[in-house]
Amino acid sequence: MRALIQRVSDASVTVDGRVTGQIGPGLLVLVCAMQGDDAATAEKLAARVARLRIFRDEGGKMNRSVLDTGGEALVVSQFTLAADTRSGNRPGFSSAAAPELGEALYQAFAGALGDLGIPVAMGEFGADMQVALTNSGPVAIWLDSADRS
């Protein structure tokens, strides 16, 4: 799985004019399931996201996790994180998981974050979404489960 994590002051996602998810301080997590991923992959990535120390401590250093700060997470599915741009001008997405598996792993990832004690809001899988955020820092971190065993 791949995730783009942004530290935010606030974030929301809107579908067809209605807000489906909204958070205050915490993380906006754009997530994509890849071919070969499974529920264990989703759980491991959720644990990495939950423990990622990208919030400032009392000394101003990025030394605290969303768990440490009591922050929230807005989880949004984004298959375009699977983009292959190695050739041509049109990205390919063939390495993304099939939609049925992608949705199941998206739900599993969000559920695993919630199981760790993080309040989770969500987008709507497969929908045309508008995502609004205030990136704090700015801080944006890319994680790929294939980069770590």
Side-chain angles (χ1 to χ4, degrees):
M1 291 185 81
R2 292 181 177 168
L4 179 63
I5 299 108
Q6 297 184 69
R7 185 179 73 189
V8 298
S9 301
D10 57 80
S12 65
V13 62
T14 304
V15 178
D16 294 329
R18 68 182 162 80
V19 175
T20 63
Q22 185 172 352
I23 64 166
L27 301 174
L28 169 62
V29 184
L30 305 174
V31 66
C32 175
M34 306 294 287
Q35 289 184 13
D37 289 340
D38 58 18
T41 308
E43 288 178 17
K44 287 178 186 175
L45 186 61
R48 286 183 66 197
V49 168
R51 292 177 177 89
L52 190 64
R53 298 184 321 179
I54 61 172
F55 292 88
R56 290 186 180 99
D57 64 13
E58 298 76 21
K61 293 184 180 182
M62 288 198 306
N63 202 26
R64 300 180 77 205
S65 70
V66 69
L67 287 169
D68 298 329
T69 65
E72 303 170 282
L74 175 58
V75 179
V76 177
S77 62
Q78 186 164 354
F79 81 95
T80 59
L81 292 177
D84 181 352
T85 59
R86 291 177 289 181
S87 68
N89 294 318
R90 183 170 183 249
F93 303 102
S94 61
S95 61
E100 301 80 27
L101 178 59
E103 183 171 12
L105 294 177
Y106 165 67
Q107 295 288 343
F109 174 84
L113 277 179
D115 289 347
L116 292 168
I118 299 168
V120 175
M122 296 176 69
E124 187 175 307
F125 186 88
D128 182 15
M129 296 176 274
Q130 288 69 51
V131 179
L133 68 134
T134 305
N135 190 310
S136 175
V139 173
I141 306 288
W142 168 266
L143 293 179
D144 189 328
S145 61
D147 293 341
R148 187 174 181 180
S149 53

